[in-house]
Amino acid sequence: MNWLDTILQGVLLGGLYALFAAGLSLVFGIMRLVNLAHGDLIVVAAFLILVLVTGLGLNPFLAALVALPVMFAAGWALQYFILNRTLGDDILPPLLVTFGLSIVIQNALLEGFSADSRRVPAGSLETMSLPLGPVTVGVMPLLTFLSAIAVIVVLNQIFYRTALGRAFRATSDDMVTAGLMGVEPKRIFATATGIAMVVVTIAALYLGTRANFDPTIGPARLIYAFEAVIIGGLGSLWGTLLGGIIIGVAQTVGAAVNPEWQILAGHLAFLIVLLVRPRGLFPRAID
Amino acid sequence: MLETVGLTAFYGDFQALFGVDLSLRVGETVAIIGANGAGKSTLMRSISGVIANGRAAIRFEGEAIGDLPAAKVVARGIAMVPEGRRLFASLSVEENLLMGNYGRKVDGPWTLGSVYDLFPILKERRDQSSTSLSGGQQQMVAIGRALMSNPRVLLCDEISLGLAPVVIRDIYAAFPRIKASGASIIIVEQDIGQAMKVADRVYCMMEGKVTLEGRAGDLSRDAIHAAYFGVHA
Ligand SMILES: Nc1ncnc2c1ncn2[C@@H]1O[C@H](COP(=O)(O)OP(=O)(O)O)[C@@H](O)[C@H]1O
Ligand SMILES: [Mg+2]
């Protein structure tokens, strides 16, 4: 067994988990909303890409490009018309509503697509790999990781360099005063969820092309995303990437020792980091 | 240009304003004074749209705006410096100022540059977190932020609250320039002296009602005292 190779695979897997988590982190950071249907929304996006690929014969990357605006609009509407109504001082309503949404999505997908395991065909890219010194890396895992970095860079630019980003932060600080500046919090929240769904679509592209998926796998992806967000430190996107990497490496190393340990090792790494750093690796100064 | 007509306001079942009539003319500076709990902030929150009211209860430039939400009110040109400053803690000084014109971008005298001219210390502190400033500097940010929308009406709720007298004087020194820029101003204060100096007219409030109104120079100390405390001194 080649440890260097195992760890590298884990790091690249962490990129996928960071993609699962970035949207969750964004939405939580702005409106303190924990979306329990986040994993299922990734699966929805994966099915959308699958339909575009198999139905229209599109290349998966092109299909994802087509899916992006659709998912943005769906996220915007979901937030504006449904989730905004659940926000308030009580944290329970959004949890209940998104939990319900998760079940609704799973059942709707089961009705529409059956419980069969699917995969988005990506042609020769699926098996292509690059020699990198002593190890070889798959092109798809590498693209996943690079996409995660690109997503985080772009989200950070939006968050810290644009008027929209200022409005996100101001609204999260103080909704009433943001209103006095001309911000309409409901629209800001809808835009944030729309952006989160764009990230979800990118995550779905790699989820769907790299592994099999079926309508019920959303909650498990949600768990990895949660763990990445929490050990990274709430609100820090680079922390989320690091969190994803820690879980990814723990899983591949665990699996290398004993294939049955893969999932367990990821959860154990999560618990150990939390024991050592209860607020995560990069906690935000205020909160 | 701005008036309230029999304005009432509630917090749940609790009534905080009982038929307030107030008017502000173009270019005028009006002071609203009154003891703690008189309803001054509630009046400001009603005008700025933080609290929803009956549509006809507030008129601005000939239109009924009582039921508009805050974002629509500021877009029409009424900006507020809220009580307690309420800066955005995770934004820098400059970002706080830039938030001021988020919902209303019109050409006018106020830009980042002219706000920094008015309060030069803010330029030095532009990249600092707003929480690292002194109280007086924070108040300057709050005023500058409101000015960034080039408001037709500027509402200032207790800008001297918690500040030392010399700092209060510095901040009030900015008002002649704000006035000269063309904004009409409503200043809410508990500190009568400061308010009387800058105001053309004064309203005194007590228990959710206007108890006295007049030109700043015409009101006697006794009359103000009676309207303020509800007793004859
Ligand atoms: N958010 C609120 N909820 C309930 N009552 C409030 C609230 N804010 C103010 N009040 C009450 O409304 C009345 C007027 O308050 P306020 O407008 O803040 O007075 P002032 O600004 O003149 O000190 C007071 O009796 C106060 O207790
Ligand atoms: Mg007050």
Side-chain angles (χ1 to χ4, degrees), chain B residues 11 14 16 35-43 45 83 157-158 190:
Chain B
Y11 293 104
F14 176 80
N36 215 350
K40 308 180 297 296
S41 295
T42 305
L43 176 57
R45 284 189 218 120
E83 185 175 63
D157 195 351
E158 301 224 26
Q190 288 190 51

Side-chain angles (χ1 to χ4, degrees), chain A residues 159-161 163-167 169-184 188 286, chain B residues 48 50 70-72 74 80 82 85-92 95-96 98-104 145:
Chain A
F159 214 59
Y160 293 106
R161 298 269 177 271
L164 178 65
R166 281 197 293 276
R169 284 177 289 145
T171 309
S172 137
D173 280 354
D174 182 343
M175 249 169 72
V176 172
T177 307
L180 289 172
M181 308 294 120
V183 172
E184 292 181 69
I188 282 293
I286 34 177
Chain B
S48 60
V50 172
K72 297 243 159 69
V74 70
M80 173 138 99
R85 309 185 266 274
R86 297 204 158 261
L87 301 185
F88 300 111
S90 55
L91 272 58
S92 70
E95 288 178 323
N96 265 279
L98 288 170
M99 276 310 293
N101 69 1
Y102 184 86
R104 174 174 158 94
R145 185 177 64 178

Side-chain angles (χ1 to χ4, degrees), chain A residues 45-89:
Chain A
F47 273 105
L48 178 57
I49 292 171
L50 179 70
V51 166
L52 289 169
V53 168
T54 54
L56 303 179
L58 294 181
N59 166 299
F61 290 87
L62 198 61
L65 207 60
V66 173
L68 284 182
V70 177
M71 289 301 291
F72 177 91
W76 199 98
L78 171 67
Q79 183 68 43
Y80 194 82
F81 295 109
I82 298 175
L83 299 183
N84 274 342
R85 294 167 193 266
T86 70
L87 294 177
D89 293 331

Side-chain angles (χ1 to χ4, degrees), chain A residues 49-139:
Chain A
I49 292 171
L50 179 70
V51 166
L52 289 169
V53 168
T54 54
L56 303 179
L58 294 181
N59 166 299
F61 290 87
L62 198 61
L65 207 60
V66 173
L68 284 182
V70 177
M71 289 301 291
F72 177 91
W76 199 98
L78 171 67
Q79 183 68 43
Y80 194 82
F81 295 109
I82 298 175
L83 299 183
N84 274 342
R85 294 167 193 266
T86 70
L87 294 177
D89 293 331
D90 190 353
I91 60 162
L92 199 54
L95 289 177
L96 293 176
V97 169
T98 56
F99 182 67
L101 182 66
S102 160
I103 293 171
V104 169
I105 289 175
Q106 287 178 45
N107 282 290
L109 288 175
L110 278 170
E111 280 293 318
F113 295 96
S114 83
D116 292 351
S117 211
R118 311 295 182 102
R119 186 158 182 165
V120 176
S124 57
L125 270 179
E126 282 174 22
T127 50
M128 229 186 260
S129 63
L130 293 174
L132 260 188
V135 295
T136 51
V137 295
V139 168

